């Protein structure tokens, strides 16, 4: 599973001009299930994200997790995080999970975040979405389950 996390002061996602999800201070999580991912991977990635210390403490250092600050999450499915750009000019997406698996794992990831006590709003899986955000910092972090032993 791949996550692109952006620390935000606010973020929203719209479908056909209607806002379907939003958050105030917290994280925008762009989420991509990869081939071979399962529910265990989704749960581990949710736990990693919840514990990631990328929010400022009283001294201004990145030393607090989203759970420490009471922040919210806007989770948006984005299969293009699986882009393979190693050759040619057109990215390939064959390493992304099949749509039915991606939908299931994205939903499981969201449920795992909620199970950790985080308020989570979402986009609509497979929809054409427009995402708006104010990146705080800016802070943008890449997490990939394949890069952790």
């Amino acid at each position: 599973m791949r996550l692109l996390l952006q620390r935000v002061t606010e973020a929203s996602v719209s479908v056909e001009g209607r806002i379907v999800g939003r958050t105030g201070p917290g994280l925008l999580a762009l989420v991509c299930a990869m081939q071979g991912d399962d529910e265990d991977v989704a749960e581990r990635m949710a736990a990693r994200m919840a514990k990631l210390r990328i929010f400022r403490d009283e001294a201004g250092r990145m030393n607090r997790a989203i759970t420490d600050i009471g922040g919210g999450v806007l989770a948006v499915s984005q299969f293009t995080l699986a882009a393979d750009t190693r050759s040619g000019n057109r990215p390939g997406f064959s390493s992304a999970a099949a749509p039915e698996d991606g939908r299931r794992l994205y939903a499981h990831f969201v449920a795992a975040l909620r199970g950790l006590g985080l308020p989570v709003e979402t986009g609509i899986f497979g929809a054409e979405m427009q995402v708006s955000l104010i990146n705080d910092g800016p802070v943008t972090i890449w997490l990939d389950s394949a890069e952790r032993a």
Side-chain angles (χ1 to χ4, degrees):
M1 184 167 272
R2 290 182 178 164
L3 305 178
L4 185 68
L5 306 176
Q6 296 181 310
R7 189 177 77 186
V8 298
T9 56
E10 63 183 61
S12 65
V13 60
S14 300
V15 175
E16 296 179 357
R18 182 177 62 89
I19 293 176
V20 297
R22 65 169 34 134
T23 190
L27 290 172
L28 168 63
L30 303 176
V31 182
C32 180
M34 305 293 287
Q35 285 187 14
D37 285 348
D38 58 16
E39 286 78 4
D40 184 56
V41 169
E43 291 171 17
R44 283 196 327 262
M45 293 298 281
R48 279 184 72 196
M49 188 185 103
K51 294 175 187 174
L52 194 62
R53 298 183 329 180
I54 60 172
F55 292 90
R56 292 179 195 94
D57 64 13
E58 299 76 22
R61 295 177 49 204
M62 288 197 302
N63 202 28
R64 300 181 80 198
I66 191 166
T67 53
D68 298 327
I69 67 153
V73 176
L74 177 59
V76 177
S77 61
Q78 188 170 348
F79 81 93
T80 60
L81 292 179
D84 181 352
T85 59
R86 290 178 289 184
S87 67
N89 295 318
R90 185 176 186 176
F93 303 102
S94 60
S95 61
E100 58 277 5
D101 293 332
R103 180 185 307 272
R104 177 178 49 81
L105 293 168
Y106 168 69
H108 196 82
F109 173 79
V110 168
L113 290 174
R114 288 179 176 144
L116 294 168
L118 292 169
V120 182
E121 293 204 17
T122 66
I124 298 175
F125 186 91
E128 187 75 23
M129 296 177 275
Q130 292 74 46
V131 178
S132 298
L133 69 136
I134 298 176
N135 191 315
D136 181 26
V139 174
T140 303
I141 305 289
W142 174 264
L143 294 180
D144 189 332
S145 61
E147 293 177 358
R148 184 163 176 141

